[in-house]
Each structure stands twice: as structure tokens, then as C-alpha cells.
Amino acid sequence: MKQTMHLWCSVILLLPFIQSAPPGRPDALYDYDAEEIFEGMLFKQHFERHKMDTAANEQNGLIVPKGRFRRQDQNVTDATEAKDLPTCLACVCLSGSVYCEETDIEEVPPLPKETAYLYARFNKIKKITVKDFSDFPTLKRIDLTGNDIEEIEEKAFEKLVNLEQLSLAENKLTRIPALPNKLTSFNANYNMIKSKAIKANAFKKLTNLGYLYLANNQLDSVPANLPESLRVIHLQFNNIDSITDDTFCKANDTRYLRPRLDEVRMEGNPVILGKYPNSFTCLKILPYGSYFK
């Protein structure tokens, strides 16, 4: 009892000298926002249960082999019954989210009708076709990071009227397909995209787009007609060697401002930003990058 009283007295005496640590600068998230991280934690919790269920089902012959994922060009009378069960045995389906990560699938699996979030990262998917997402108006987020995607059919995402976030990072893309108008975040970092493969109005109609990630590609210029909604654009480690007064601002309008755009990353490009002082007059911050040789 005596020792306890001494301990509390010491703590009380030290209280005036204890200072809370200053708030640290939050680390930038590469691909995923806070909501995705939370969902990832849920996924990990359920994944352990899923592994035990998988082991039990495998012994009973309930697991569908890899080849079962491949679509057959034939009509299926009961799409829900035929499509939902195999995917949710091999992947994890949780409250409208489908997790097919590191499962070695070679194409987008058949999805349950109510799917809102698809995570199919780090697989062997090579191509996205129109029929992969032909009837999923509920989809809000698709993450295909870390696959082998070389081709995406032009209208593959056309019917995804509610899609807000799309990640195609770490693939083998050389061009960008048509993107849904409601998109708020698009990530195509670490691909092989060239400027000539991006249409002049590829981003113009995306009036909700706030985050555009095109780092580590083969761009030689900044994409044209960037939307007013843009808040963050990553263009670092490309081949951009020059910019113009119209790249971010408007050469003929000295009063034009871009108050929302507060992060422009261009480091790792051959362009010397200091040569183009009139290119940033509408921005509230200067881009990251080289200003001197």
C-alpha cells in the first residue's frame, strides 16, 4: 500500500512536465484510402475463417478447380445460381465486397449481382472484356492492381454508371480506355502508357475526378483538358520534357485559378520547371520537380 501511494505521488508530480507529442504528418497513401484499409482489416479477419472452411470443403470435394473460372460462350438459364457459388467459394464475399487477391485467376471471375467492391489484386488477369462488367450497376470500386493486364476493350467500363474508384496500377497497359463519368479516383501508376495513346478528351468529362495517378509510365506530355475537379495529379518518373502555359492554367486568362488542385508531382521527368514560370500562375502551390539543371 505504501509503495502504491509513492507511485501515485510520483505520477502526480510529473504531470505538469509531460507534454503530448506533436501531431505527426500522416503518410501519403499510395493506392488506398482509409475506407479501403478498414475493409482490408475486415477481410483479414474473415480470411482466416475462409481458409479453414476451404480446407474442410476441399476434403469434401466442394472447391471448384481453376478452370471453372473460365467463361463458356453459352447461354446460362440461371445466371445467379451458376455464377455466385463458384466465385464465393474460391474468393471471399463479404457484404457486397468480393476479395479475390493472390488466387492466380486469369480473368475477372463471375461476380454476385450485388457486388459493389471488387478487389482482385495480384493475380494473372491479362485482358478486360466488355462482358466482364456488362451488368453490374452496383459496382463502386474496382481494384485490379498487380495483374498482367495488357488489353482493355474500349467499352469495358461503359455500363458502370456508379463506378467511383478504379485502380489499374502495376499492369502492362499501353493505353487508357474510356472511363465512367462518375469516377473520382483513377490509378494507372506503373504501366507503359504513352501520351499518344491518351485521347485529348479522355479526362475532360470526368467532372468528379479528384485523384489522377499516372506515375511511372512513358508519358512525354501532361494529359490535356484536365477537369476542374482535380485535386491531386501524380506524373512523376515519366518522360515529360516540356509544358506550356495552358498545361494547368489558361494563357489568355490571367484571372483563372485552380483552387482545388493542391498537389502536382512531376519529379523524375527531364522537364526543368523553372523554365516555365507562367505555367503555374493559377495554382496555389508549385509542382514537385526540378527547377534548375
Side-chain angles (χ1 to χ4, degrees), residues 161-188:
V161 294
N162 290 307
L163 191 69
E164 296 176 355
Q165 299 181 12
L166 175 61
S167 179
L168 301 170
E170 299 178 50
N171 278 284
K172 299 177 181 179
L173 293 173
T174 57
R175 56 181 290 275
I176 294 176
L179 300 172
N181 290 342
K182 276 196 174 182
L183 216 58
T184 62
S185 176
F186 178 62
N187 191 335

Side-chain angles (χ1 to χ4, degrees), residues 15 19 25 31 39 45 47 62 64 74 138 145 157 172 174 193 200-201 240 250 261 269 271-272 280 285:
L15 280 175
Q19 296 182 350
R25 182 179 177 182
D31 273 340
E39 288 182 357
Q45 292 173 4
F47 186 66
L62 296 178
V64 180
Q74 59 186 15
T138 56
T145 299
F157 304 119
K172 299 177 181 179
T174 57
I193 301 167
N201 294 323
I240 300 171
K250 294 181 180 179
L261 189 57
N269 283 283
V271 61
I272 304 300
F280 317 120
I285 50 92

